[in-house]
Amino acid sequence: MVNSRIPGLKDLTLEERREIVAANSPLESADFAAWDPATALTLDQADHMIENVVGVLPIPVGFAANFTINGRDVLVPMATEEPSVVAAASNAARIARASGGFTTSSSDPIMRAQIQLVDVADPEAARLRLFEARDELIATANEQDPMLVTLGGGVRDIEVQLVEARTQTYVVLHLIVDVRDAMGANAVNTMAEALAERVGEIAQGRAILRILSNKADLRLARARAVFSAEQLGGEHIVDDIVHAAALAEADPYRAATHNKGATNGIIAVVLATGNDTRAVEAGIHSHAVRDGRYSSLTKFEKDANGDLVASLEVPMAVGLVGGATKVHPGAQAAVKMLGVTTASELAEVIAAVGLAQNVAGLRVLATEGVQRGHMSLHARNVAVSAGATTPEEITAVATRMVSEKAVRAERAAEILEELRRDGR
Ligand code: MEV
């Protein structure tokens, strides 16, 4: 029985943490090799993934604890170079857990492909001609991916948009495709390319672009949770978080940072599972500006008990089959840790993590500010750069610098020299 509630994590060794993960997720001890520098993605494997390979770039992989999502406990793998992100997500998840955790939902995994037509003399009539050919176009598109159709996916519909642009009105055909457990780019691009010529014929124009849209507005993942005022630090903190969220709704300068808080969590899971981080970010940002002005992705309210109710709804184009998710051993281990079997389940976990991360960020901003937490971690890095080697030395140098409010390389070197001179 998986229990994601794991107190005292920061005091455990890496080996102890692995044992806990193995006991509380589908991962087995052998699976951790996928994240060991010596046995992780090999140069040969990397050489098959992209071009002109000269090496690999290791990024730390941690896990967020305390998540309960739709009543199921789950440990969440996160790949990130940013300190505090994993701890912050785990903290917010602990608070949400006390009120039942996260409740999530998602739309069907529907992506769009666009076919752009130029030089159409009668765009309005062309639009109707394309609709008249709907069944033929859907049948041809589905023939490109019989396996997807067997799995219950395939083209659901077409849309035709007339886009007034700089020099002419473009006719743009959208293929609306249920891509099931794929991210979907390959499936919909193949369909769009196969249809382009015929679509051009029907519209009596010329097809240029045939490509998916990253504005995945039909593939939404949602998460909501309640955070008790008491656990957040009092009702005044709830009020201040709601004020912070209101500023993000109204002010694009703040919205960008607010949304960066949520994407800290979202992208860490997207990356850990080998998914396309740029596709997800493009989807998220197009969603944030869907009403014509860039705004926040999350909503915050105070409920009748004075507790914080937070929710998030975002496009989430992630898959479990194909791409790096299938070939990267670390991504496979991450998917296994999550125990998810569909792309929609993965998308919902990611939404829950994004929400937790956003709440954690706002709570810190509404209380002590970000610098205290960042400073202690930064101080550890400064201690290491100044030559501290053992965990004891690093902690001693960092703690002294933080208490003296002097986190600087020269001070780290002085403290280190003092410690070593005194034989400590
Ligand atoms: C830092 O990576 C993220 C925050 O700036 C998010 C926010 O301001 O809400 C703390």
Side-chain angles (χ1 to χ4, degrees):
M1 176 74 185
V2 170
N3 178 5
S4 69
R5 175 76 193 107
I6 305 170
L9 261 169
K10 73 174 167 31
D11 300 320
L12 301 181
T13 62
L14 191 144
E15 273 316 315
E16 287 167 334
R17 288 195 289 267
R18 284 185 169 190
E19 279 162 29
I20 284 177
V21 172
N24 289 288
S25 81
L27 278 189
E28 291 146 46
S29 358
D31 294 320
F32 291 100
W35 294 313
D36 279 341
T39 45
L41 187 75
T42 64
L43 285 175
D44 267 355
Q45 286 167 322
D47 207 17
H48 290 113
M49 287 177 72
I50 65 164
E51 309 73 39
N52 304 352
V53 166
V54 289
V56 292
L57 174 72
I59 297 276
V61 176
F63 71 95
N66 307 329
F67 274 85
T68 181
I69 302 177
N70 301 329
R72 181 175 88 89
D73 270 22
V74 60
L75 299 181
V76 185
M78 298 178 81
T80 180
E81 86 303 338
E82 183 169 332
S84 303
V85 164
V86 174
S90 306
N91 262 330
R94 177 180 51 77
I95 298 176
R97 184 182 185 85
S99 321
F102 296 83
T103 306
T104 63
S105 62
S106 49
S107 65
D108 282 340
I110 295 207
M111 298 295 285
R112 293 171 185 267
Q114 297 184 290
I115 301 174
Q116 178 196 15
L117 300 165
V118 299
D119 302 337
V120 177
D122 52 353
E124 295 287 354
R127 178 171 166 271
L128 297 201
R129 289 199 294 279
L130 287 166
F131 278 126
E132 287 152 25
R134 175 183 178 274
D135 292 350
E136 176 206 327
L137 295 175
I138 292 180
T140 311
N142 279 338
E143 276 164 23
Q144 311 308 311
D145 201 337
M147 178 56 92
L148 180 62
V149 176
T150 311
L151 294 171
V155 182
R156 293 285 178 261
D157 210 345
I158 61 167
E159 285 178 14
V160 186
Q161 302 194 356
L162 302 187
V163 180
E164 301 281 345
R166 208 183 292 166
T167 54
Q168 59 174 268
T169 300
Y170 297 125
V171 177
V172 184
L173 181 111
H174 286 208
L175 267 183
I176 312 293
V177 188
D178 184 326
V179 298
R180 296 284 90 197
D181 292 320
M183 182 273 180
N186 278 337
V188 305
N189 290 344
T190 305
M191 290 175 174
E193 289 189 4
L195 283 193
E197 200 182 320
R198 177 72 185 126
V199 167
E201 256 168 45
I202 297 168
Q204 290 157 27
R206 187 166 59 88
I208 309 185
L209 303 186
R210 295 107 53 230
I211 187 77
L212 97 162
S213 169
N214 285 119
K215 181 169 163 56
D217 55 359
L218 298 174
R219 192 178 195 176
L220 299 175
R222 312 175 192 96
R224 68 183 169 85
V226 175
F227 298 79
S228 98
E230 195 194 333
Q231 297 224 14
L232 284 170
E235 208 168 325
H236 63 291
I237 308 284
V238 175
D239 290 334
D240 284 355
I241 290 178
V242 172
H243 278 307
L247 178 63
E249 270 171 36
D251 171 18
Y253 284 97
R254 176 55 207 155
T257 323
H258 178 102
N259 291 342
K260 194 272 185 182
T263 46
N264 273 345
I266 290 171
I267 296 303
V269 187
V270 173
L271 182 61
T273 55
N275 274 287
D276 183 338
T277 54
R278 291 81 56 214
V280 170
E281 296 212 12
I284 283 177
H285 290 299
S286 63
H287 197 67
V289 73
R290 67 193 178 284
D291 297 328
R293 193 187 61 200
Y294 187 86
S295 184
S296 56
L297 299 165
T298 44
K299 299 282 173 214
F300 288 83
E301 299 159 310
K302 185 157 95 164
D303 72 8
N305 300 322
D307 295 327
L308 182 72
V309 190
S311 52
L312 166 81
E313 183 178 53
V314 280
M316 192 53 66
V318 290
L320 287 181
V321 294
T325 307
K326 214 59 205 158
V327 297
H328 193 301
Q332 294 255 282
V335 170
K336 187 167 175 188
M337 187 197 286
L338 286 165
V340 292
T341 54
T342 66
S344 297
E345 273 179 88
L346 173 61
E348 292 181 27
V349 170
I350 295 172
V353 176
L355 185 61
Q357 203 77 53
N358 198 197
V359 170
L362 294 193
R363 181 180 183 224
V364 170
L365 290 175
T367 54
E368 64 188 23
V370 291
Q371 278 314 74
R372 207 179 90 176
H374 277 187
M375 266 307 146
S376 352
L377 284 153
H378 175 58
R380 296 182 72 83
N381 286 330
V382 172
V384 172
S385 318
T389 47
T390 64
E392 293 74 22
E393 265 183 358
I394 297 168
T395 304
V397 174
T399 312
R400 273 273 289 283
M401 287 194 296
V402 169
S403 73
E404 292 172 4
K405 294 197 170 51
V407 183
R408 288 190 304 270
E410 324 80 75
R411 186 61 194 132
E414 283 165 14
I415 299 171
L416 190 60
E417 201 186 311
E418 229 177 83
L419 288 174
R420 289 185 177 163
R421 199 182 47 230
D422 299 350
R424 281 190 274 153

